[in-house]
Amino acid sequence: MNKFSLLSLLMFVISVTAFFVMRGPDGDIYLTILILSTLSVIGLLFATFSKQLLWMIFGIAVNLIPLIVALLLLFAMGISEP
């Protein structure tokens, strides 16, 4: 495991932590979407910079999860607005 794969996994942990911290009835959903997508894209970049194939695949798979959640939240906000 090199430093880029470790940073990729760290971006996933930070995005999951940010999601749980920023949720709730008074949470800003657009800020949550922005933070989740930004951290996921950075994590995907770190995963692609990793030279080991196993950690590259694992980092990409793990960092796609918050990106998909952010996309679903964006779709939900688009549907709910008149």
Side-chain angles (χ1 to χ4, degrees):
M1 176 183 281
N2 58 7
K3 65 180 178 180
F4 288 121
S5 58
L6 186 64
L7 285 172
S8 174
L9 296 177
L10 183 67
M11 290 298 126
F12 172 71
V13 170
I14 291 172
S15 63
V16 169
T17 305
F19 176 75
F20 283 121
V21 167
M22 295 171 45
R23 69 184 178 133
D26 57 344
D28 188 11
I29 195 71
Y30 290 114
L31 182 64
T32 304
I33 292 169
L34 181 69
I35 289 174
L36 282 178
S37 59
T38 303
L39 288 173
S40 294
V41 168
I42 291 171
L44 287 170
L45 287 174
F46 283 144
T48 56
F49 290 152
S50 176
K51 298 297 181 188
Q52 298 169 347
L53 184 64
L54 177 67
W55 290 109
M56 185 184 301
I57 293 171
F58 184 69
I60 289 172
V62 164
N63 281 306
L64 279 178
I65 295 169
L67 192 61
I68 291 171
V69 169
L71 181 67
L72 290 174
L73 284 173
L74 187 62
F75 285 154
M77 291 306 294
I79 290 172
S80 68
E81 291 180 356

